[in-house]
Amino acid sequence: MKHLSAFQTAELILIPLTFFFSQIIIILFGLEIIGENTWILMGIPIGIGVLVAIVLLVVVNNAVTINEFRQLEVMFRIITIIGGILFILILGIQIVFQITGILIFSLLTLVISIIGDIMTFQCISFLLRYILTQDHLELSEHQQ
């Protein structure tokens, strides 16, 4: 694994933190707008998003090994583009079929949750692999 710059390390730490706090803000926003039913309307999509993200990550990580930060960036760009397309499609469906905002809000929460969870888990996984690789290299250097 190539050496990570301080900026890249900061990205790997800040992406999960930002997503975690955005989930809290989404839930608080939903509590203010929708009320107590938010835990059902948003908690279920967030929970499903975590499960879908884990399944997708297992499939992707079995098919592709990410050893460089650049590969991770490309993966995040692809995920963001796909998420943006889904976001626009969901809003388009709402406009065309005049579906209520609560259902659309739940679907958008699901999309955001899946995207954020994939990015969060990938950042944490990549950072852990990097740290373990660096520790292993340092141990090898000390033994020689």
Side-chain angles (χ1 to χ4, degrees):
M1 234 180 220
K2 290 184 180 179
H3 182 71
L4 291 177
S5 69
F7 182 73
Q8 291 170 332
T9 305
E11 277 186 287
L12 291 173
I13 293 169
L14 290 175
I15 288 173
L17 286 175
T18 303
F19 176 69
F20 176 73
F21 287 117
S22 71
Q23 291 290 67
I24 292 171
I25 290 171
I26 287 172
I27 290 173
L28 292 176
F29 173 76
L31 281 172
E32 290 296 320
I33 300 298
I34 301 171
E36 294 299 320
N37 293 333
T38 302
W39 294 109
I40 295 170
L41 296 172
M42 290 174 41
I44 292 173
I46 288 172
I48 292 171
V50 170
L51 295 175
V52 170
I54 290 171
V55 169
L56 287 173
L57 283 174
V58 167
V59 170
V60 168
N61 287 337
N62 283 335
V64 178
T65 302
I66 298 176
N67 291 325
E68 294 182 26
F69 189 78
R70 178 170 289 269
Q71 292 173 308
L72 193 64
E73 287 179 320
V74 169
M75 180 183 179
F76 286 178
R77 286 184 188 126
I78 292 169
I79 291 169
T80 303
I81 290 169
I82 292 170
I85 290 169
L86 287 173
F87 210 85
I88 291 169
L89 286 175
I90 291 170
L91 291 176
I93 289 170
Q94 178 188 18
I95 292 169
V96 170
F97 295 110
Q98 300 296 316
I99 299 173
T100 63
I102 293 173
L103 175 63
I104 295 301
F105 194 69
S106 294
L107 288 173
L108 294 175
T109 301
L110 176 65
V111 170
I112 291 168
S113 177
I114 292 170
I115 292 169
D117 287 333
I118 288 173
M119 289 182 176
T120 297
F121 294 143
Q122 279 295 87
C123 284
I124 292 169
S125 171
F126 189 84
L127 189 59
L128 286 175
R129 275 186 283 134
Y130 176 75
I131 291 170
L132 292 175
T133 302
Q134 294 305 312
D135 287 344
H136 180 64
L137 289 175
E138 288 176 10
L139 285 174
S140 298
E141 290 175 5
H142 289 295
Q143 288 177 355
Q144 292 177 353

